[in-house]
C-alpha cells in the first residue's frame, strides 16, 4: 500500500487557478501603488499577496484529502449461526396443516430468511438420510433458492432419522470457534425420533447448541399421506394393504426438548400442530438474551489517516497574518485593487469551510452512491412504466442496505412498491403467458403480506391483497381453460389420425381388390402389344361399377377429413399479427398432401369405371395411399401422444408395396419429387425457437427431480417404514 495518497486527486486541478489569481493580484497591487503615489503615500509590499496565494495552495491540497499511515479494515457482521433442519419425509406431505406440513414449514423458514439481517443461515434436510442443501452463509437469496428444492426426492431414501441430520451438522456446520453462538431450528412432525433422542441430546449438549423444535401435524386425528403419480392422479400411501395415518409425535419431541433443557444455550418446543406460526418471532424470543459474535468477512477496505486539518490550520494562519500585517495608507473609497483583494480573501475562506465540512465526513468509499438515490431511481422507473427495471433497482437498494437493518416503515414501503411492480408485470403477460402472470401475481401477494407484517395497519398494502387474490383466481381459471382447449385439440388430432388410418386401410383393401394388369412378355412388347389388347373378364362391368362406387365413397371420406383438417388448422393457427402479416398455417403441408389425396381418389373413381383403365385407377389409388402415409408421418412427428398411439403396421404396408407392379414402382419413383416430405419442407422457413431461460431452468429442475426420484426408489427397500 502507498504510504501517502491523495484520496481526491482530481481536486488538484484547481491549482491551475493559481496563475490567473497571481496575475490579478499583481495587476491590482500595481494599480494600487500608482494611486498611492499620486496621493503621496508609499508603495504596498507584495508579502500579503504571497501569503494569500500560499493559503490558497494549502487549502487546495487539503481539499484533495491527503492521507498517510494506511491500514486495512475488514467488514464484519454481528449475529448468531442458525441451522434450519427440515424434515422432508413423506409424512410431511400430509395436509392437516395448510397447504401441507412441508409447505407450512418451508413458509416459516422463508419468513425467517426475510427478517434476518446479520445471522448466518444453513439448511439441512433429512428423511432416512440427510443432505446439506445450503452451508452457513449470509446469502439469503441462495438459501431461498435451495429451500425451494427441498422435497422428499432430495434425499437418498425414505424414513425419518433426525440423528443423521444432527451428525451432518456436527461434522460439517458446527465451528469450534463459534461455540455458544449457534442454534438449530428443527421443523418436523416427530415421527420415528424417540429411540435416537438420547444420542441427539448428547451431541447438542456437547457442542452447546441451542435447540428450537417446531412440531407440525394433528397429534390426535392425524392425516393420510397423499401420493401423486406421474399422471397427476392422487392416491394415499398404504402399508400392508392399510392406509397410513401419520400424527404429530408430541411425546417424542417433548422428551428431546427435556433432554436438552439443561444446556446453557437453551431448548424450547413449540407444538404448532395445524395452526399458523411466525417462525422469526419464535426464534427471536428464544435467542433474544443469547450472546452474539462478529464473523470476519472476506471483504475489506483501506483507511488512511487524514492530515488535511493541518493544512487547513496553516492556511487559516497565513490568511490571518496577511490581514493583520500593518499596511500603508489606504484610500477612503473602494478601488478595483481592494475589490480584487477582498474577493480573493472571500474565496480562500469559503474553500477553507468547504474543506472542513468535507474532511469531517466519514466515508468508506468516495465513489459509493447513496442508497436513497437508487430508491428514487426505482420510483422513477416504476412511474415511467418500467416495472422490470424498477425491480432490479429496488433489489440493488435492498442489497446496499443489507449491512444496516431497514426500519419497519422502510421495509414495508419497499415491499409494497415491489408488489406493485410485480402486479404490473403480471398484467402485461396475462394474455400471452397466464402461467407466468399467475406466478408474478403470487409473488406480488407475498410482498404485500410482508409489507403488512412489517408495518401493521399499512392500509395500502392490505387493500391490494383481495384484488391480487382475485387476479390469481382469474389467471388460474384461464390456465384451466387453456388446458381444456389443449386437451380438446389433442383429442381432435387423435380422432383425425384414426380416421386417416382407417381411410388408408380401406384404400389399401380396395386397391388389392382391383386386379393388376397382366405382365407382358418380352416378345409381346416387341410386337407392340399393350394391356388393352387383353380380353376383359366376364364380370368386368359388375366389378367396374362396384370399384367405382366404393372408390367414390372413399373420396367422400377423404373430402370430409380435409374439411375437418381445415377446421383444426383454423383453431390452432395463431391470429394475425399487428403488422397485418399473414400467419403461417401449422398444418400447411398436411393440407397440401390431403388435397392431393382427394384429387387422386377422384381420378381413381373415374378410371375404375372401365376395365381397360383399371391399371390407371390402381396407380391413382397407390398415389392416395402414399400421400396418406406421408400425412400420418407428419402428424406423428408433431404429436405429443405416446409412440404406440397413431401408429400403423409398417410391415404390412411394406409387403403391399412390394406387390405392386413394375409400372406402379416406376410411377412411385417418379413421384418422389412431389411426395417426399424432406424435399417439400426444405422450402419452408424453420420456426423461431421460443424457449426462455425460465423454460430451460424448469426443464433442468424436472430432470434433477426425476434423477432424485429414481435414486430414492432404488433405496426405499432398505427401510421398513419409508414415510
Amino acid at each position: 500500500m502507498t504510504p501517502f495518497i491523495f484520496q481526491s486527486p482530481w481536486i488538484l486541478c484547481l491549482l491551475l487557478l493559481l496563475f490567473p489569481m497571481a496575475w490579478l493580484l499583481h495587476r491590482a497591487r500595481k494599480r494600487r501603488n500608482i494611486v498611492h503615489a499620486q496621493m503621496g503615500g508609499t508603495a504596498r509590499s507584495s508579502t500579503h499577496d504571497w501569503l494569500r496565494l500560499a493559503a490558497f495552495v494549502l487549502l487546495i491540497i487539503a481539499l484533495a484529502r491527503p492521507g498517510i499511515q494506511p491500514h486495512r479494515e475488514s467488514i464484519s457482521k454481528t449475529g448468531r449461526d442458525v441451522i434450519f433442519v427440515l424434515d422432508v419425509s413423506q409424512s410431511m406431505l400430509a395436509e392437516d396443516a395448510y397447504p401441507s406440513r412441508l409447505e407450512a414449514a418451508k413458509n416459516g423458514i422463508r419468513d425467517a430468511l426475510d427478517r434476518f439481517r446479520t445471522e448466518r443461515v444453513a439448511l439441512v434436510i433429512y428423511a432416512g438420510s440427510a443432505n446439506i442443501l445450503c452451508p452457513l452463509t449470509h446469502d439469503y437469496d441462495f438459501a431461498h433458492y435451495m429451500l425451494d428444492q427441498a422435497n422428499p426426492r432430495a434425499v437418498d431414501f425414505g424414513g425419518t432419522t433426525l440423528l443423521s441430520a444432527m451428525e451432518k451438522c456436527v461434522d460439517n456446520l458446527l465451528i469450534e470457534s463459534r461455540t455458544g453462538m449457534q442454534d438449530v431450528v428443527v421443523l418436523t412432525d416427530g415421527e420415528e425420533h424417540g429411540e435416537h433422542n438420547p444420542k441427539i441430546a448428547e451431541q447438542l449438549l456437547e457442542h452447546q447448541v441451542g435447540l428450537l423444535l417446531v412440531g407440525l401435524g394433528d397429534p390426535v386425528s392425524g392425516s393420510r399421506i397423499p401420493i401423486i403419480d406421474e399422471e397427476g392422479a392422487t392416491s394415499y400411501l398404504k402399508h400392508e394393504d392399510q392406509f397410513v395415518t401419520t400424527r404429530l409425535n408430541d411425546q417424542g419431541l417433548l422428551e428431546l426438548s427435556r433432554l436438552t433443557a439443561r444446556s446453557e444455550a437453551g431448548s424450547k418446543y413449540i407444538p404448532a400442530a395445524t395452526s399458523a406460526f411466525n417462525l422469526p418471532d419464535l426464534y427471536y424470543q428464544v435467542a433474544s438474551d443469547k450472546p452474539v459474535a462478529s464473523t470476519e468477512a472476506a471483504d475489506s477496505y483501506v483507511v488512511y489517516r487524514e492530515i488535511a486539518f493541518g493544512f487547513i490550520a496553516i492556511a487559516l494562519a497565513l490568511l490571518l497574518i496577511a490581514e493583520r500585517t500593518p499596511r500603508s495608507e489606504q484610500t477612503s473609497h473602494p478601488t478595483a485593487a481592494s475589490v480584487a483583494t477582498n474577493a480573493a480573501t472571500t474565496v480562500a475562506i469559503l474553500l477553507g469551510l468547504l474543506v472542513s465540512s468535507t474532511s469531517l465526513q466519514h466515508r468508506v468509499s468516495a465513489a459509493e452512491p447513496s442508497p436513497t438515490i437508487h430508491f428514487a431511481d426505482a420510483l422513477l422507473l416504476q412511474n415511467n412504466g418500467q416495472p422490470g427495471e424498477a425491480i432490479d433497482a429496488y433489489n440493488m437498494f435492498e442489497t446496499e442496505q443489507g449491512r444496516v437493518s431497514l426500519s419497519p416503515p422502510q421495509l414495508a414501503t419497499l415491499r409494497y412498491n415491489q408488489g406493485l411492480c410485480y402486479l404490473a408485470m403480471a398484467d402485461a403477460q396475462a394474455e400471452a403467458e397466464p402461467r407466468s402472470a399467475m406466478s408474478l401475481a403470487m409473488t406480488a401477494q407475498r410482498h404485500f403480506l410482508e409489507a403488512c407484517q412489517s408495518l401493521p395497519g399499512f392500509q395500502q398494502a392490505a387493500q391490494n391483497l383481495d384484488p391480487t387474490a382475485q387476479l390469481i383466481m382469474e389467471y388460474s381459471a384461464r390456465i384451466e381453460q387453456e388446458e381444456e382447449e389443449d386437451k380438446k385439440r389433442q383429442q381432435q388430432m387423435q380422432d383425425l389420425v384414426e380416421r386417416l388410418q382407417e381411410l388408408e386401410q380401406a384404400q389399401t383393401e380396395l386397391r388389392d381388390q382391383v386386379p393388376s394388369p397382366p405382365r407382358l412378355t418380352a416378345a409381346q412388347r416387341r410386337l407392340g402389344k399393350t394391356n388393352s389388347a387383353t380380353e376383359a373378364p366376364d364380370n368386368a362391368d359388375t366389378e367396374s361399377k362396384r370399384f367405382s362406387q366404393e372408390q367414390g365413397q372413399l373420396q367422400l371420406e377423404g373430402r370430409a377429413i380435409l374439411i375437418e383438417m381445415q377446421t383444426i388448422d383454423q383453431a390452432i393457427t395463431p391470429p394475425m399479427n399487428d403488422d397485418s402479416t399473414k400467419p403461417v398455417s401449422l398444418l400447411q403441408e398436411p393440407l397440401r398432401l390431403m388435397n392431393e389425396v382427394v384429387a387422386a381418389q377422384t381420378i381413381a373413381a373415374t378410371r375404375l369405371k372401365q376395365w381397360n383403365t383399371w391399371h390407371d385407377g390402381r396407380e391413382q389409388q397407390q398415389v392416395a395411399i402414399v400421400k396418406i402415409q406421408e400425412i400420418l408421418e407428419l402428424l406423428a412427428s408433431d404429436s405429443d401422444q405416446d409412440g404406440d398411439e397413431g401408429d400403423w403396421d409398417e410391415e404390412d404396408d411394406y409387403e403391399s408395396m412390394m406387390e405392386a407392379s413394375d409400372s406402379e414402382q416406376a410411377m412411385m419413383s417418379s413421384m418422389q419429387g412431389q411426395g417426399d416430405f424432406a424435399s417439400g419442407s426444405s422450402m419452408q422457413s424453420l420456426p423461431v425457437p421460443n424457449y426462455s431461460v425460465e423454460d430451460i431452468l424448469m426443464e433442468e429442475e424436472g430432470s434433477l427431480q426425476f434423477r432424485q426420484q429414481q435414486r430414492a426408489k432404488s433405496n426405499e427397500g432398505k427401510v421398513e417404514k419409508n414415510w
Side-chain angles (χ1 to χ4, degrees):
M1 292 181 290
T2 307
F4 176 83
I5 192 174
F6 286 106
Q7 299 179 68
S8 301
W10 59 272
I11 297 292
L12 297 176
C13 296
L14 295 177
L15 291 175
L16 297 176
L17 298 176
L18 183 65
F19 300 100
M21 289 184 64
W23 178 80
L24 287 174
L25 291 174
H26 174 72
R27 183 171 179 270
R29 186 178 67 256
K30 185 177 180 181
R31 296 183 62 182
R32 185 169 54 248
N33 289 338
I34 294 175
V35 173
H36 286 178
Q38 292 176 354
M39 297 177 65
T42 59
R44 185 175 180 179
S45 173
S46 61
T47 304
H48 302 83
D49 296 337
W50 287 111
L51 291 175
R52 291 190 179 94
L53 291 175
F56 177 78
V57 172
L58 292 175
L59 289 175
I60 294 298
I61 293 175
L63 196 61
R65 298 184 62 203
I68 60 173
Q69 299 178 359
H71 63 279
R72 187 175 296 275
E73 294 186 2
S74 62
I75 301 173
S76 63
K77 295 185 178 182
T78 301
R80 296 179 64 84
D81 294 344
V82 183
I83 303 173
F84 293 103
V85 178
L86 177 61
D87 183 357
V88 294
S89 59
Q90 286 185 316
S91 62
M92 291 291 287
L93 298 177
E95 297 175 344
D96 47 3
Y98 181 80
S100 68
R101 298 177 186 176
L102 180 59
E103 287 302 319
K106 292 168 69 173
N107 289 335
I109 297 176
R110 291 189 184 100
D111 293 340
L113 293 176
D114 292 338
R115 288 273 297 276
F116 285 175
R117 288 294 177 268
T118 59
E119 290 80 5
R120 286 199 307 175
V121 297
L123 177 62
V124 178
I125 61 173
Y126 74 96
S129 61
N131 287 331
I132 299 176
L133 288 190
C134 176
L136 285 169
T137 180
H138 286 107
D139 190 348
Y140 299 141
D141 291 335
F142 176 72
H144 265 293
Y145 174 76
M146 296 310 298
L147 179 63
D148 294 337
Q149 316 306 315
N151 56 69
R153 295 184 296 273
V155 291
D156 291 336
F157 53 92
T160 309
T161 308
L162 180 58
L163 179 60
S164 62
M166 288 303 169
E167 290 174 347
K168 285 279 186 180
C169 295
V170 171
D171 295 339
N172 300 279
L173 298 178
L174 298 183
I175 304 172
E176 185 176 356
S177 60
R178 300 278 293 172
T179 300
M181 308 294 172
Q182 297 168 317
D183 298 311
V184 173
V185 180
V186 181
L187 298 100
T188 179
D189 54 15
E191 291 268 28
E192 297 295 325
H193 289 172
E195 59 184 8
H196 299 298
N197 283 346
K199 295 182 180 179
I200 296 172
E202 180 182 352
Q203 293 187 355
L204 293 175
L205 292 173
E206 180 182 355
H207 294 85
Q208 300 181 24
V209 178
L211 177 64
L212 173 61
L213 285 168
V214 179
L216 300 168
D218 191 334
V220 180
S221 301
S223 176
R224 293 179 179 179
I225 302 175
I227 303 297
I228 301 177
D229 58 20
E230 297 177 354
E231 298 180 355
T234 302
S235 59
Y236 292 96
L237 182 66
K238 288 185 176 182
H239 179 66
E240 297 179 353
D241 296 330
Q242 298 292 328
F243 287 109
V244 175
T245 300
T246 173
R247 298 176 178 83
L248 170 62
N249 183 14
D250 252 334
Q251 296 301 321
L253 296 178
L254 280 171
E255 179 189 3
L256 178 59
S257 178
R258 179 180 57 79
L259 291 174
T260 55
R262 64 178 185 273
S263 171
E264 295 180 1
S267 174
K268 186 173 184 180
Y269 169 55
I270 306 295
T274 60
S275 60
F277 61 95
N278 191 323
L279 185 59
D281 287 348
L282 295 176
Y283 174 75
Y284 283 132
Q285 290 174 7
V286 174
S288 59
D289 298 331
K290 294 183 179 181
V292 296
S294 62
T295 56
E296 293 293 333
D299 297 333
S300 62
Y301 58 94
V302 177
V303 176
Y304 286 85
R305 178 185 174 187
E306 300 277 359
I307 59 173
F309 298 103
F311 290 94
I312 296 174
I314 297 174
L316 293 178
L318 292 177
L319 289 175
L320 184 61
I321 294 172
E323 296 301 323
R324 294 292 183 179
T325 302
R327 308 176 183 181
S328 60
E329 185 181 354
Q330 302 278 331
T331 58
S332 59
H333 299 285
T335 62
S338 62
V339 172
T341 301
N342 293 334
T345 304
T346 302
V347 170
I349 294 174
L350 290 177
L351 284 176
L353 294 175
L354 180 61
V355 171
S356 300
S357 61
T358 303
S359 301
L360 290 174
Q361 295 178 358
H362 177 70
R363 297 177 296 175
V364 173
S365 174
E368 183 177 358
S370 173
T372 308
I373 298 177
H374 289 303
F375 193 86
D377 294 341
L379 283 176
L380 182 61
L381 291 170
Q382 181 180 349
N383 295 331
N384 290 339
Q386 298 175 278
E389 292 79 359
I391 287 291
D392 295 337
Y394 283 131
N395 292 337
M396 184 181 299
F397 169 78
E398 188 173 5
T399 301
E400 291 186 355
Q401 291 290 90
R403 300 174 190 165
V404 181
S405 298
L406 291 171
S407 64
Q410 289 176 331
L411 182 60
T413 304
L414 177 64
R415 291 290 183 261
Y416 173 70
N417 284 282
Q418 288 174 326
L420 293 179
C421 291
Y422 280 115
L423 273 186
M425 295 169 64
D427 183 65
Q429 299 184 17
E431 293 295 333
E433 299 179 2
R435 287 179 175 81
S436 299
M438 186 172 71
S439 177
L440 292 169
M442 294 176 67
T443 304
Q445 185 183 48
R446 181 166 62 86
H447 281 75
F448 291 144
L449 286 172
E450 292 178 7
C452 294
Q453 290 176 355
S454 300
L455 187 63
F458 193 178
Q459 294 297 326
Q460 289 178 304
Q463 291 172 359
N464 278 277
L465 290 175
D466 288 341
T468 305
Q470 185 66 29
L471 276 178
I472 294 174
M473 295 177 61
E474 293 177 1
Y475 295 150
S476 178
R478 189 176 303 176
I479 292 172
E480 292 179 358
Q481 182 180 0
E482 288 188 355
E483 291 177 351
E484 290 295 330
E485 293 177 354
D486 290 340
K487 291 180 180 179
K488 183 178 178 181
R489 294 193 192 101
Q490 291 177 3
Q491 185 61 42
Q492 289 177 342
M493 292 296 295
Q494 181 63 24
D495 295 341
L496 177 64
V497 169
E498 292 177 357
R499 292 186 66 179
L500 284 169
Q501 291 175 349
E502 294 174 357
L503 178 62
E504 181 215 359
Q505 183 179 1
Q507 188 66 73
T508 302
E509 293 175 355
L510 182 59
R511 182 206 61 187
D512 294 341
Q513 295 176 13
V514 178
S516 301
R519 192 180 301 274
L520 299 177
T521 63
Q524 289 174 332
R525 286 195 294 269
R526 285 195 298 271
L527 294 175
K529 292 185 178 182
T530 61
N531 289 327
S532 60
T534 308
E535 295 182 0
D538 296 338
N539 60 347
D541 293 338
T542 304
E543 290 297 307
S544 296
K545 184 177 180 180
R546 182 175 69 85
F547 292 156
S548 179
Q549 289 178 351
E550 292 183 4
Q551 185 61 52
Q553 293 296 327
L554 295 179
Q555 186 264 344
L556 292 176
E557 176 65 13
R559 191 174 297 277
I561 292 176
L562 176 61
I563 294 174
E564 181 182 357
M565 193 180 296
Q566 291 173 344
T567 303
I568 296 175
D569 181 64
Q570 292 176 359
I572 64 177
T573 300
M576 185 175 295
N577 300 328
D578 295 336
D579 55 359
S580 300
T581 57
K582 186 177 180 180
V584 178
S585 173
L586 299 179
L587 295 179
Q588 179 178 359
E589 186 66 14
L591 283 171
R592 182 186 67 81
L593 292 173
M594 196 63 209
N595 277 298
E596 295 179 2
V597 169
V598 174
Q601 289 177 327
T602 304
I603 297 174
T606 304
R607 295 288 190 270
L608 293 175
K609 290 180 179 180
Q610 297 181 3
W611 176 82
N612 58 355
T613 56
W614 277 4
H615 63 284
D616 294 334
R618 199 172 193 277
E619 289 179 353
Q620 292 299 321
Q621 288 177 323
Q622 183 63 32
V623 171
I625 293 171
V626 173
K627 299 295 183 183
I628 294 174
Q629 292 174 350
E630 291 182 6
I631 295 173
L632 288 171
E633 290 177 359
L634 288 175
L635 296 180
S637 64
D638 294 334
S639 176
D640 293 332
Q641 305 297 328
D642 295 335
D644 57 347
E645 296 181 8
D647 203 358
W648 61 90
D649 193 348
E650 298 180 357
E651 184 176 357
D652 293 342
D653 292 335
Y654 178 78
E655 292 176 356
S656 63
M657 292 178 64
M658 291 299 294
E659 295 174 357
S661 63
D662 294 339
S663 60
E664 292 169 351
Q665 294 176 2
M667 179 272 298
M668 290 169 60
S669 63
S670 66
M671 292 192 315
Q672 284 294 332
Q674 300 177 4
D676 186 41
F677 170 64
S679 61
S681 64
S682 63
M683 300 300 294
Q684 302 178 14
S685 59
L686 294 175
V688 179
N690 59 349
Y691 297 108
S692 62
V693 176
E694 290 79 6
D695 296 334
I696 296 173
L697 290 176
M698 289 179 64
E699 183 69 22
E700 177 61 25
E701 180 180 348
S703 300
L704 176 61
Q705 292 178 353
F706 175 76
R707 293 193 295 269
Q708 293 172 343
Q709 185 178 14
Q710 294 300 110
R711 183 177 59 188
K713 285 182 178 179
S714 64
N715 293 312
E716 64 183 358
K718 300 178 181 179
V719 291
E720 181 181 357
K721 297 181 179 180
N722 63 349
W723 62 86

